[in-house]
């Protein structure tokens, strides 16, 4: 595992470099940032990335783009094979200006894996440099996907979000939460929509789905996850999962 108090990729001699490592067991990397833009991808396992804009859960057929200086923390629920790409700020203009989840096709996945194994002192005009150039073109062309949980700046919303993250099975209605934070239900609904782009119920549903995804990656049983997240039956979770992601929970990590 790399030392995250020291970020050597920011000091690499070439403007784009890669990094790879494998780790067994749960691991949490505390809040940090890189001067370079970063693509986080896993070829095995799952990774949860939290930024000041929201929370993102990534299986192997997804990656996240983080612009330079994006503060983030990272959580791996189980065994993981990490692949990271770091781009100097001069190369990041074609990429989105905010954290973005990307769908990784098979070709890009192989390019990322190959690029992360290249020594950082590769030649400026050699085959390694050409591979990185192709990789950038591929990354820029990837489709973005809605696999995130938006955060809010309003203190009242943040307190509700924190409580639900601690207990996603909490069934309190919007009216009950409005009473808890001392605002009207209509005001709370309006703030949720304005800050997250989602209704309260849609935000809570997204939280439950992403939590389920992370726990599935850790090897937990669907029945246990469904009960813990407040679903009446495992089939209720499966139905919502298929509606959101297009596949059943048991197939999601194979959907490459």
């Amino acid at each position: 595992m790399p030392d995250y108090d020291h970020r050597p990729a920011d000091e690499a001699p070439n403007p784009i470099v890669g990094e790879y490592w494998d780790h067994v067991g749960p691991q949490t990397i505390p809040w940090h940032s890189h001067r370079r833009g970063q693509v986080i991808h896993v070829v095995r396992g799952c990774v949860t990335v939290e930024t000041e804009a929201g929370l993102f859960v990534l299986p192997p057929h997804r990656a996240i783009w983080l612009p330079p200086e994006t503060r983030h923390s990272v959580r791996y629920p189980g065994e993981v094979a990490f692949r990271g790409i770091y781009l100097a700020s001069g190369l990041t203009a074609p990429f989105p200006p905010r954290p973005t989840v990307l769908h990784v096709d098979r070709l890009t996945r192989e390019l990322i894996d190959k690029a992360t194994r290249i020594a950082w002192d590769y030649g400026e005009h050699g085959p390694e440099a050409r591979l990185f150039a192709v990789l950038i073109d591929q990354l820029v062309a990837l489709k973005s996907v809605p696999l995130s949980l938006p955060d809010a700046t309003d203190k009242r919303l943040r307190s509700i979000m924190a409580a639900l993250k601690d207990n996603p099975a909490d069934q309190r209605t919007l009216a009950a939460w409005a009473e808890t934070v001392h605002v009207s239900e209509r005001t709370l609904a309006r703030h949720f929509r304005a800050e997250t782009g989602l209704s309260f119920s849609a935000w809570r549903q997204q939280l439950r789905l992403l939590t389920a995804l992370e726990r599935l990656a850790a090897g937990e049983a669907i029945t246990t996850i469904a009960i813990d997240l407040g679903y009446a039956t495992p089939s209720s979770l499966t139905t919502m999962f298929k509606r959101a992601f297009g596949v059943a929970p048991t197939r999601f990590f194979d959907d490459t």
Side-chain angles (χ1 to χ4, degrees), residues 205-245:
Q205 187 65 59
Q206 185 79 337
L207 168 66
R208 289 174 175 173
L209 288 169
L210 294 184
T211 302
L213 180 57
E214 185 178 30
R215 292 178 62 174
L216 283 166
E220 295 188 44
I222 293 177
T223 299
T224 301
I225 296 170
I227 293 172
D228 288 350
L229 296 184
Y231 289 93
T233 63
S235 62
S236 299
L237 171 58
T238 297
T239 298
M240 291 305 300
F241 203 96
K242 290 175 69 175
R243 185 179 302 167
F245 300 130

CSV table of all heavy atoms in Angstrom, one decimal, residues 205-245:
chain,number,residue,atom,x,y,z
A,205,GLN,N,-33.3,6.5,-1.5
A,205,GLN,CA,-33.2,5.3,-2.3
A,205,GLN,C,-31.8,5.1,-2.9
A,205,GLN,O,-31.3,4.0,-2.9
A,205,GLN,CB,-34.2,5.3,-3.4
A,205,GLN,CG,-34.4,4.0,-4.2
A,205,GLN,CD,-34.9,2.9,-3.3
A,205,GLN,OE1,-36.0,3.0,-2.8
A,205,GLN,NE2,-34.1,1.9,-3.2
A,206,GLN,N,-31.2,6.2,-3.4
A,206,GLN,CA,-29.9,6.1,-4.0
A,206,GLN,C,-28.9,5.7,-2.9
A,206,GLN,O,-28.0,4.9,-3.2
A,206,GLN,CB,-29.5,7.4,-4.6
A,206,GLN,CG,-28.1,7.4,-5.4
A,206,GLN,CD,-28.2,6.8,-6.7
A,206,GLN,OE1,-29.1,6.0,-7.0
A,206,GLN,NE2,-27.3,7.2,-7.6
A,207,LEU,N,-29.0,6.3,-1.7
A,207,LEU,CA,-28.1,5.9,-0.6
A,207,LEU,C,-28.2,4.4,-0.3
A,207,LEU,O,-27.2,3.7,-0.2
A,207,LEU,CB,-28.5,6.7,0.6
A,207,LEU,CG,-27.9,6.2,2.0
A,207,LEU,CD1,-26.4,6.4,1.9
A,207,LEU,CD2,-28.5,6.9,3.2
A,208,ARG,N,-29.4,3.9,-0.3
A,208,ARG,CA,-29.6,2.4,0.0
A,208,ARG,C,-29.0,1.6,-1.1
A,208,ARG,O,-28.4,0.5,-0.8
A,208,ARG,CB,-31.1,2.1,0.2
A,208,ARG,CG,-31.7,2.7,1.5
A,208,ARG,CD,-33.2,2.5,1.6
A,208,ARG,NE,-33.7,3.0,2.9
A,208,ARG,CZ,-35.0,3.1,3.2
A,208,ARG,NH1,-35.9,2.7,2.3
A,208,ARG,NH2,-35.3,3.5,4.4
A,209,LEU,N,-29.2,2.0,-2.3
A,209,LEU,CA,-28.7,1.2,-3.4
A,209,LEU,C,-27.1,1.2,-3.4
A,209,LEU,O,-26.5,0.1,-3.6
A,209,LEU,CB,-29.2,1.7,-4.8
A,209,LEU,CG,-30.7,1.5,-5.1
A,209,LEU,CD1,-31.1,2.3,-6.3
A,209,LEU,CD2,-30.9,0.0,-5.3
A,210,LEU,N,-26.5,2.3,-3.2
A,210,LEU,CA,-25.1,2.4,-3.2
A,210,LEU,C,-24.5,1.7,-2.0
A,210,LEU,O,-23.4,1.0,-2.1
A,210,LEU,CB,-24.6,3.8,-3.2
A,210,LEU,CG,-24.9,4.6,-4.5
A,210,LEU,CD1,-24.3,6.0,-4.5
A,210,LEU,CD2,-24.4,3.9,-5.7
A,211,THR,N,-25.2,1.7,-0.9
A,211,THR,CA,-24.8,1.0,0.3
A,211,THR,C,-24.9,-0.5,0.1
A,211,THR,O,-24.0,-1.3,0.4
A,211,THR,CB,-25.6,1.3,1.5
A,211,THR,OG1,-25.6,2.8,1.8
A,211,THR,CG2,-25.2,0.6,2.8
A,212,ALA,N,-25.9,-0.9,-0.6
A,212,ALA,CA,-26.1,-2.3,-1.0
A,212,ALA,C,-24.9,-2.8,-1.9
A,212,ALA,O,-24.4,-3.9,-1.7
A,212,ALA,CB,-27.4,-2.6,-1.7
A,213,LEU,N,-24.6,-1.9,-2.9
A,213,LEU,CA,-23.5,-2.2,-3.8
A,213,LEU,C,-22.2,-2.4,-3.1
A,213,LEU,O,-21.5,-3.4,-3.3
A,213,LEU,CB,-23.4,-1.1,-4.8
A,213,LEU,CG,-22.3,-1.2,-5.9
A,213,LEU,CD1,-22.5,-2.5,-6.7
A,213,LEU,CD2,-22.4,0.0,-6.8
A,214,GLU,N,-21.9,-1.6,-2.1
A,214,GLU,CA,-20.7,-1.7,-1.4
A,214,GLU,C,-20.6,-2.9,-0.5
A,214,GLU,O,-19.6,-3.6,-0.5
A,214,GLU,CB,-20.5,-0.4,-0.5
A,214,GLU,CG,-19.2,-0.4,0.3
A,214,GLU,CD,-19.0,0.9,1.1
A,214,GLU,OE1,-20.0,1.4,1.6
A,214,GLU,OE2,-17.9,1.3,1.3
A,215,ARG,N,-21.8,-3.3,0.1
A,215,ARG,CA,-21.8,-4.5,0.9
A,215,ARG,C,-21.8,-5.7,0.1
A,215,ARG,O,-21.2,-6.8,0.5
A,215,ARG,CB,-23.0,-4.4,1.9
A,215,ARG,CG,-22.9,-3.3,2.9
A,215,ARG,CD,-24.1,-3.1,3.8
A,215,ARG,NE,-24.3,-4.3,4.6
A,215,ARG,CZ,-25.2,-4.4,5.5
A,215,ARG,NH1,-26.0,-3.4,5.8
A,215,ARG,NH2,-25.4,-5.6,6.2
A,216,LEU,N,-22.4,-5.7,-1.1
A,216,LEU,CA,-22.3,-6.9,-2.0
A,216,LEU,C,-20.8,-7.1,-2.3
A,216,LEU,O,-20.4,-8.3,-2.4
A,216,LEU,CB,-23.1,-6.6,-3.2
A,216,LEU,CG,-24.6,-6.8,-3.1
A,216,LEU,CD1,-25.3,-6.2,-4.3
A,216,LEU,CD2,-25.0,-8.3,-2.9
A,217,ALA,N,-20.1,-6.0,-2.6
A,217,ALA,CA,-18.7,-6.2,-2.9
A,217,ALA,C,-17.9,-6.8,-1.8
A,217,ALA,O,-16.9,-7.4,-2.0
A,217,ALA,CB,-18.1,-4.8,-3.3
A,218,ALA,N,-18.3,-6.6,-0.6
A,218,ALA,CA,-17.7,-7.2,0.6
A,218,ALA,C,-18.1,-8.6,0.9
A,218,ALA,O,-17.6,-9.2,1.8
A,218,ALA,CB,-18.0,-6.3,1.8
A,219,GLY,N,-19.0,-9.1,0.0
A,219,GLY,CA,-19.4,-10.5,0.1
A,219,GLY,C,-20.5,-10.8,1.0
A,219,GLY,O,-20.8,-12.0,1.3
A,220,GLU,N,-21.3,-9.8,1.4
A,220,GLU,CA,-22.4,-10.0,2.3
A,220,GLU,C,-23.6,-10.6,1.5
A,220,GLU,O,-23.8,-10.4,0.3
A,220,GLU,CB,-22.9,-8.7,3.0
A,220,GLU,CG,-21.8,-8.2,4.0
A,220,GLU,CD,-22.3,-7.0,4.8
A,220,GLU,OE1,-23.5,-7.1,5.3
A,220,GLU,OE2,-21.6,-6.0,4.9
A,221,ALA,N,-24.5,-11.3,2.2
A,221,ALA,CA,-25.7,-11.9,1.6
A,221,ALA,C,-26.7,-10.9,1.3
A,221,ALA,O,-26.9,-10.0,2.1
A,221,ALA,CB,-26.2,-13.0,2.5
A,222,ILE,N,-27.5,-11.1,0.2
A,222,ILE,CA,-28.5,-10.1,-0.2
A,222,ILE,C,-29.6,-10.1,0.9
A,222,ILE,O,-30.1,-9.0,1.2
A,222,ILE,CB,-29.1,-10.6,-1.5
A,222,ILE,CG1,-28.1,-10.4,-2.7
A,222,ILE,CG2,-30.4,-9.7,-1.8
A,222,ILE,CD1,-28.6,-10.8,-4.0
A,223,THR,N,-29.9,-11.2,1.5
A,223,THR,CA,-31.0,-11.2,2.5
A,223,THR,C,-30.6,-10.3,3.7
A,223,THR,O,-31.4,-9.5,4.2
A,223,THR,CB,-31.2,-12.6,3.0
A,223,THR,OG1,-31.7,-13.4,1.9
A,223,THR,CG2,-32.3,-12.6,4.1
A,224,THR,N,-29.4,-10.4,4.2
A,224,THR,CA,-28.9,-9.6,5.3
A,224,THR,C,-28.9,-8.1,4.9
A,224,THR,O,-29.3,-7.3,5.7
A,224,THR,CB,-27.5,-10.0,5.7
A,224,THR,OG1,-27.5,-11.4,6.1
A,224,THR,CG2,-27.0,-9.2,6.8
A,225,ILE,N,-28.4,-7.8,3.7
A,225,ILE,CA,-28.3,-6.4,3.2
A,225,ILE,C,-29.7,-5.8,3.2
A,225,ILE,O,-30.0,-4.7,3.6
A,225,ILE,CB,-27.6,-6.3,1.9
A,225,ILE,CG1,-26.2,-6.8,2.0
A,225,ILE,CG2,-27.7,-4.9,1.3
A,225,ILE,CD1,-25.5,-7.0,0.6
A,226,ALA,N,-30.7,-6.6,2.6
A,226,ALA,CA,-32.0,-6.1,2.4
A,226,ALA,C,-32.7,-5.7,3.8
A,226,ALA,O,-33.3,-4.7,3.9
A,226,ALA,CB,-32.9,-7.1,1.7
A,227,ILE,N,-32.5,-6.6,4.7
A,227,ILE,CA,-33.1,-6.4,6.1
A,227,ILE,C,-32.5,-5.2,6.7
A,227,ILE,O,-33.1,-4.3,7.3
A,227,ILE,CB,-32.9,-7.6,7.0
A,227,ILE,CG1,-33.8,-8.8,6.4
A,227,ILE,CG2,-33.3,-7.3,8.4
A,227,ILE,CD1,-33.5,-10.1,7.1
A,228,ASP,N,-31.1,-5.1,6.6
A,228,ASP,CA,-30.4,-3.9,7.3
A,228,ASP,C,-30.7,-2.6,6.6
A,228,ASP,O,-30.6,-1.6,7.3
A,228,ASP,CB,-28.9,-4.2,7.2
A,228,ASP,CG,-28.4,-5.3,8.1
A,228,ASP,OD1,-29.2,-5.7,9.0
A,228,ASP,OD2,-27.3,-5.7,8.0
A,229,LEU,N,-31.1,-2.6,5.4
A,229,LEU,CA,-31.4,-1.4,4.7
A,229,LEU,C,-32.9,-1.0,4.7
A,229,LEU,O,-33.3,0.0,4.1
A,229,LEU,CB,-30.9,-1.4,3.2
A,229,LEU,CG,-29.4,-1.6,3.0
A,229,LEU,CD1,-29.1,-1.6,1.5
A,229,LEU,CD2,-28.7,-0.5,3.7
A,230,GLY,N,-33.7,-1.8,5.4
A,230,GLY,CA,-35.1,-1.4,5.5
A,230,GLY,C,-36.1,-2.0,4.5
A,230,GLY,O,-37.2,-1.5,4.4
A,231,TYR,N,-35.6,-2.9,3.6
A,231,TYR,CA,-36.5,-3.5,2.6
A,231,TYR,C,-37.3,-4.6,3.3
A,231,TYR,O,-36.8,-5.3,4.1
A,231,TYR,CB,-35.7,-4.0,1.5
A,231,TYR,CG,-35.0,-3.0,0.6
A,231,TYR,CD1,-33.7,-2.5,0.8
A,231,TYR,CD2,-35.8,-2.4,-0.5
A,231,TYR,CE1,-33.2,-1.5,0.0
A,231,TYR,CE2,-35.2,-1.4,-1.2
A,231,TYR,CZ,-33.9,-1.0,-1.0
A,231,TYR,OH,-33.3,0.0,-1.8
A,232,ALA,N,-38.5,-4.7,2.8
A,232,ALA,CA,-39.4,-5.7,3.4
A,232,ALA,C,-38.9,-7.1,3.1
A,232,ALA,O,-39.0,-8.0,4.0
A,232,ALA,CB,-40.8,-5.5,2.9
A,233,THR,N,-38.4,-7.3,1.9
A,233,THR,CA,-37.9,-8.6,1.5
A,233,THR,C,-36.7,-8.5,0.6
A,233,THR,O,-36.5,-7.4,0.0
A,233,THR,CB,-39.0,-9.4,0.7
A,233,THR,OG1,-39.3,-8.7,-0.5
A,233,THR,CG2,-40.3,-9.6,1.5
A,234,PRO,N,-35.9,-9.5,0.4
A,234,PRO,CA,-34.8,-9.4,-0.5
A,234,PRO,C,-35.2,-9.1,-1.9
A,234,PRO,O,-34.5,-8.5,-2.7
A,234,PRO,CB,-34.1,-10.8,-0.4
A,234,PRO,CG,-34.5,-11.3,1.0
A,234,PRO,CD,-35.9,-10.8,1.2
A,235,SER,N,-36.4,-9.6,-2.3
A,235,SER,CA,-36.9,-9.4,-3.7
A,235,SER,C,-37.2,-7.9,-3.9
A,235,SER,O,-37.1,-7.4,-5.0
A,235,SER,CB,-38.1,-10.2,-4.0
A,235,SER,OG,-39.2,-9.9,-3.1
A,236,SER,N,-37.6,-7.2,-2.8
A,236,SER,CA,-37.8,-5.8,-3.0
A,236,SER,C,-36.5,-5.0,-3.3
A,236,SER,O,-36.5,-4.1,-4.2
A,236,SER,CB,-38.4,-5.2,-1.7
A,236,SER,OG,-39.6,-5.8,-1.3
A,237,LEU,N,-35.4,-5.4,-2.7
A,237,LEU,CA,-34.1,-4.8,-3.0
A,237,LEU,C,-33.7,-5.2,-4.4
A,237,LEU,O,-33.2,-4.3,-5.2
A,237,LEU,CB,-33.1,-5.3,-2.0
A,237,LEU,CG,-31.6,-5.0,-2.3
A,237,LEU,CD1,-31.4,-3.5,-2.4
A,237,LEU,CD2,-30.7,-5.5,-1.2
A,238,THR,N,-33.9,-6.5,-4.8
A,238,THR,CA,-33.5,-6.9,-6.1
A,238,THR,C,-34.3,-6.1,-7.2
A,238,THR,O,-33.7,-5.7,-8.2
A,238,THR,CB,-33.8,-8.4,-6.3
A,238,THR,OG1,-33.0,-9.1,-5.4
A,238,THR,CG2,-33.5,-8.9,-7.7
A,239,THR,N,-35.6,-5.9,-6.9
A,239,THR,CA,-36.4,-5.1,-7.9
A,239,THR,C,-35.9,-3.7,-8.1
A,239,THR,O,-35.8,-3.2,-9.2
A,239,THR,CB,-37.9,-5.1,-7.4
A,239,THR,OG1,-38.4,-6.4,-7.4
A,239,THR,CG2,-38.7,-4.3,-8.4
A,240,MET,N,-35.6,-3.0,-6.9
A,240,MET,CA,-35.1,-1.7,-7.0
A,240,MET,C,-33.7,-1.6,-7.7
A,240,MET,O,-33.4,-0.7,-8.4
A,240,MET,CB,-35.1,-1.1,-5.6
A,240,MET,CG,-36.4,-0.8,-5.0
A,240,MET,SD,-37.5,0.2,-6.0
A,240,MET,CE,-36.5,1.7,-6.1
A,241,PHE,N,-32.9,-2.6,-7.4
A,241,PHE,CA,-31.6,-2.7,-7.9
A,241,PHE,C,-31.6,-2.8,-9.5
A,241,PHE,O,-30.9,-2.1,-10.2
A,241,PHE,CB,-30.8,-3.9,-7.3
A,241,PHE,CG,-29.3,-3.7,-7.4
A,241,PHE,CD1,-28.6,-3.3,-6.3
A,241,PHE,CD2,-28.6,-4.1,-8.5
A,241,PHE,CE1,-27.2,-3.2,-6.3
A,241,PHE,CE2,-27.2,-4.0,-8.5
A,241,PHE,CZ,-26.5,-3.6,-7.4
A,242,LYS,N,-32.5,-3.7,-9.9
A,242,LYS,CA,-32.6,-3.9,-11.4
A,242,LYS,C,-33.2,-2.7,-12.0
A,242,LYS,O,-32.8,-2.3,-13.2
A,242,LYS,CB,-33.5,-5.1,-11.6
A,242,LYS,CG,-32.9,-6.5,-11.2
A,242,LYS,CD,-33.8,-7.6,-11.4
A,242,LYS,CE,-34.2,-7.9,-12.8
A,242,LYS,NZ,-35.0,-9.1,-13.0
A,243,ARG,N,-34.1,-2.0,-11.4
A,243,ARG,CA,-34.7,-0.8,-11.9
A,243,ARG,C,-33.7,0.3,-12.1
A,243,ARG,O,-33.7,1.0,-13.1
A,243,ARG,CB,-35.9,-0.3,-11.0
A,243,ARG,CG,-36.6,0.9,-11.6
A,243,ARG,CD,-37.8,1.2,-10.6
A,243,ARG,NE,-38.7,0.1,-10.4
A,243,ARG,CZ,-39.6,0.1,-9.5
A,243,ARG,NH1,-39.7,1.1,-8.6
A,243,ARG,NH2,-40.4,-1.0,-9.3
A,244,ALA,N,-32.8,0.4,-11.1
A,244,ALA,CA,-31.7,1.4,-11.1
A,244,ALA,C,-30.6,1.1,-12.0
A,244,ALA,O,-30.1,2.0,-12.8
A,244,ALA,CB,-31.2,1.7,-9.7
A,245,PHE,N,-30.1,-0.1,-12.0
A,245,PHE,CA,-28.9,-0.5,-12.7
A,245,PHE,C,-29.0,-1.4,-13.9
A,245,PHE,O,-28.1,-1.7,-14.7
A,245,PHE,CB,-27.9,-1.2,-11.7
A,245,PHE,CG,-27.5,-0.3,-10.6
A,245,PHE,CD1,-27.6,-0.8,-9.2
A,245,PHE,CD2,-27.1,1.0,-10.8
A,245,PHE,CE1,-27.3,0.0,-8.2
A,245,PHE,CE2,-26.7,1.8,-9.7
A,245,PHE,CZ,-26.8,1.3,-8.4
